[in-house]
Amino acid sequence: MQITRRQGGALAMASLLAARGVRAATPGVLVRSDSPPANLDPHQLFDVPMMGYALNAYDGLYRYENNPPELQPWLAEGHTASADGLEWEFRLRPEVRFHDGAPLTAEDVVYSFRRVLALGKAPASAFLGILKPENVTAPDARTVRFRLERAYGPFLAAIPIVAIVNSRLVRANEKDGDHGAAWLAGNEAGSGAYAFVPGSLTTLERLDMARFEGHFLGWSDNPSPVPRIAVRAAKETSTGVLGLLNGSIDWTDSYLPTDQVEQIQGSRVAQVAKDVSMRTFIIRMNNARAPFTSLNLRKAMAHAFNYDGFIQEILKGYADRNAGPIPNQLWGAPKDAPGYAYDLDKARHFLKLAQAEGFNPRQPIRIHIQSQLEQTNQAAQLFQSDLQSIGVNLRIVADTWANIVSATAKPETSPDMWIHWVSTYFVDPENWVGQMYDSRFHGTWKASSFYRNEKVDALLQRARGLVAQAERAPLYEEATRQVMADCADIWVYNTVELRGLARRLSGYRFCPAGGGAEMRWLQMKG
């Protein structure tokens, strides 16, 4: 289950040939041009690169499949819950094994959840405050029991977030009470359909994975699965597209620029998968630091972005206007909230009010883009042009996801503005408005506008403390209306995800949770 020297050389040659525009598909190896995670520990990170890795290397109790996403039993055969929503019990499948052959038992599940809570990193955000480590228990080898501190509506929806790790392996590598964090950052302890190839990681650049023949689902439903996966980060979108067209890359990320779609579709070696998603595109504003402490300035900026022009002209209509933080098609999104329209006269009006408060339009405002994702640059350039016409000095700063996420730990270092997507980590309004605008989540990239409103905090706290969707939905709607009235950010669209795929691949399945990154279903010729 290792990439051979010959295959490694083929990959290196493929990269060289990609630069020269020569086709060189690597037999038996699927080459992905999306980014690997900043480290390999699924309990430390919770972002799109990690989901692209963890969905393949690890399993959870439940998993989202299909589009619209459906929550399905995975490691668990099913679950029961008490009427008050406090007691939850999950029954595990028998005979599941980790990549090292060790059996996966309820003790591994208990250890995984307790480890998530102890580390307190991004995956813990959905459980902190409602689940104590000692209240995750294993009555027997196949039963896991949770007792919540209080009713928590998003609990089942968030269960897939937690990857189940091999407790014996991680414990053996703990040092100085670090819960094995240093070791797992560069190694793997999963049971997923693909196993990390030891020694193949170069942080933020590359990693290799090999098919795990012993995966609990088996492989009888896939006659020609992908044997090897090579993740090779493309520094720029154009690099990935070039590689796709010359055959040296099989799979791009799902942020494909729309101006490349027709070119790819017209090629003999590649095609574009187009899938309606729940990934929202957002321009963040740092509400906790001048000049964006001014509501008038935030409204001026919101009216200065050309939403329809961006969606129709630049994205060629491959997106739907999403006027607020929750995807249009999800419950909890207020249908009667119109949002902000492109109107430069209104932008000038609010700009004058902001100037009366002390804003100097000659003061440069810096907007950080993700340099490897061309669409963030396109949005910033369009925005810059319109802002210039009303006298606002917007400067574009090329940056990386890892750098920006690190900077958003506190308002003093977080950018004035930055552009990103909020993907479907779990299917509940909590994934969007809850974790983006409740001040309890300040210090995470999701809450990087550092918005604070006590009324919103209280509404979100009440919403997550209820079980019935019919009772929760009005609270999320009210909180969202208030966040929109306060113009915390600039909400642009809901995504049609576009991914370039080599024609030698088939069986691609898309689910908004994970953005179609699960590889188990793929088949490959050659």
Side-chain angles (χ1 to χ4, degrees):
M1 291 181 58
Q2 293 192 1
I3 300 291
T4 66
R5 179 174 297 180
R6 178 181 177 185
Q7 288 170 327
L11 290 171
M13 182 59 70
S15 298
L16 176 62
L17 292 173
R20 296 177 178 174
V22 179
R23 187 181 188 281
T26 308
V29 180
L30 183 152
V31 183
R32 289 173 47 167
S33 68
D34 47 359
S35 298
N39 77 56
L40 300 186
D41 188 343
H43 297 170
Q44 293 189 51
L45 299 176
F46 189 44
D47 55 17
V48 169
M50 175 51 74
M51 290 192 79
Y53 169 73
L55 279 172
N56 298 294
Y58 289 90
D59 294 309
L61 292 175
Y62 272 63
R63 178 164 292 193
Y64 288 102
E65 296 285 308
N66 305 318
N67 192 15
E70 300 170 343
L71 194 59
Q72 297 183 359
W74 203 250
L75 291 176
E77 293 178 327
H79 75 277
T80 59
S82 61
D84 60 8
L86 296 179
E87 299 276 356
W88 296 76
E89 192 169 283
F90 294 79
R91 184 70 172 167
L92 299 182
R93 296 175 184 267
E95 300 181 356
V96 178
R97 294 195 174 270
F98 288 105
H99 295 150
D100 69 351
L104 189 155
T105 70
E107 178 55 34
D108 297 296
V109 179
V110 171
Y111 175 83
S112 297
F113 275 86
R114 289 181 176 181
R115 183 176 187 269
V116 164
L117 294 169
L119 290 174
K121 299 293 181 68
S125 59
F127 303 101
L128 291 175
I130 61 99
L131 182 62
K132 291 183 177 179
E134 62 269 24
N135 289 334
V136 187
T137 57
D140 60 58
R142 288 183 55 200
T143 304
V144 183
R145 188 171 293 158
F146 299 85
R147 178 168 179 79
L148 308 187
E149 292 297 291
R150 57 185 178 276
Y152 182 62
F155 180 70
L156 184 61
I159 279 290
I161 292 173
V162 177
I164 305 307
V165 302
N166 184 330
S167 61
R168 291 162 292 282
L169 188 55
V170 179
R171 278 196 177 105
N173 288 281
E174 292 178 350
K175 290 185 177 180
D176 302 321
D178 74 341
H179 304 282
W183 180 82
L184 199 54
N187 293 279
E188 183 248 288
S191 63
Y194 286 84
F196 168 67
V197 176
S200 68
L201 176 67
T202 301
T203 303
L204 297 176
E205 292 185 12
R206 57 179 288 163
L207 65 83
D208 297 326
M209 304 182 78
R211 183 172 70 93
F212 176 45
E213 295 181 4
H215 190 248
F216 75 88
L217 285 181
W219 295 91
S220 61
D221 59 342
N222 188 344
S224 183
V226 174
R228 304 285 190 271
I229 300 169
V231 180
R232 301 291 184 267
K235 301 300 182 184
E236 297 178 354
T237 303
S238 58
T239 306
V241 173
L242 174 63
L244 184 69
L245 292 174
N246 66 44
S248 61
I249 287 173
D250 299 293
W251 166 295
T252 72
D253 60 42
S254 57
Y255 304 94
L256 195 69
T258 54
D259 57 4
Q260 302 288 337
V261 171
E262 290 185 7
Q263 181 184 8
I264 294 171
Q265 289 287 59
S267 91
R268 291 180 297 174
V269 298
Q271 58 188 320
V272 177
K274 307 171 187 176
D275 297 284
V276 176
S277 183
M278 301 172 78
R279 175 187 287 169
T280 54
F281 186 82
I282 298 172
I283 302 175
R284 307 306 292 262
M285 295 182 283
N286 188 341
N287 290 211
R289 194 180 69 219
F292 289 111
T293 50
S294 167
L295 173 59
N296 287 314
L297 181 61
R298 298 198 300 270
K299 288 185 175 181
M301 302 295 278
H303 282 299
F305 189 81
N306 190 345
Y307 305 94
D308 289 342
F310 184 59
I311 292 170
Q312 298 304 324
E313 299 300 323
I314 294 178
L315 302 186
K316 311 298 182 186
Y318 287 118
D320 297 319
R321 175 80 175 100
N322 211 100
I326 302 178
N328 293 330
Q329 67 267 47
L330 183 65
W331 61 273
K335 309 306 180 188
D336 57 347
Y340 295 86
Y342 174 60
D343 187 328
L344 290 182
D345 288 336
K346 285 186 177 180
R348 291 186 183 94
H349 166 73
F350 286 112
L351 182 60
K352 287 181 179 178
L353 295 177
Q355 286 179 264
E357 296 170 341
F359 172 64
N360 179 3
R362 292 191 298 259
Q363 170 189 346
I365 294 173
R366 291 174 174 80
I367 185 167
H368 288 236
I369 65 168
Q370 298 179 58
S371 56
Q372 76 277 22
L373 299 176
E374 177 60 24
Q375 197 180 123
T376 63
N377 187 40
Q378 292 171 321
Q381 289 179 338
L382 177 69
F383 203 17
Q384 183 183 53
S385 176
D386 278 314
L387 287 174
Q388 185 177 21
S389 73
I390 64 172
V392 176
N393 181 8
L394 185 70
R395 295 186 183 177
I396 300 172
V397 179
D399 210 336
T400 66
W401 171 259
N403 286 341
I404 297 171
V405 167
S406 178
T408 57
K410 51 187 177 180
E412 294 80 12
T413 57
S414 194
D416 297 331
M417 309 182 78
W418 70 292
I419 304 177
H420 70 96
W421 291 260
V422 175
S423 295
T424 314
Y425 299 101
F426 59 101
V427 186
D428 190 279
E430 188 69 14
N431 180 73
W432 287 274
V433 68
Q435 294 188 351
M436 292 169 68
Y437 300 111
D438 189 328
S439 62
R440 67 184 292 190
F441 294 111
H442 287 180
T444 66
W445 66 265
K446 264 193 182 182
S448 59
S449 59
F450 294 95
Y451 169 82
R452 185 183 296 274
N453 183 306
E454 292 183 2
K455 175 184 176 183
V456 170
D457 285 354
L459 286 167
L460 294 174
Q461 180 67 20
R462 286 173 55 200
R464 66 175 67 97
L466 298 171
V467 176
Q469 179 178 313
E471 296 177 346
R472 298 177 65 213
L475 298 172
Y476 281 115
E477 290 179 17
E478 186 179 352
T480 301
R481 288 190 193 94
Q482 185 63 58
V483 170
M484 293 174 70
D486 291 337
C487 198
D489 285 312
I490 299 171
W491 305 282
V492 182
Y493 71 73
N494 187 42
T495 311
V496 174
E497 294 194 35
L498 303 170
R499 168 172 276 126
L501 298 172
R503 292 191 183 274
R504 69 174 181 156
L505 299 179
S506 60
Y508 176 70
R509 294 188 185 184
F510 180 83
C511 179
E518 188 175 0
M519 314 292 288
R520 189 191 177 281
W521 317 110
L522 281 176
Q523 300 172 28
M524 184 170 70
K525 297 178 181 178

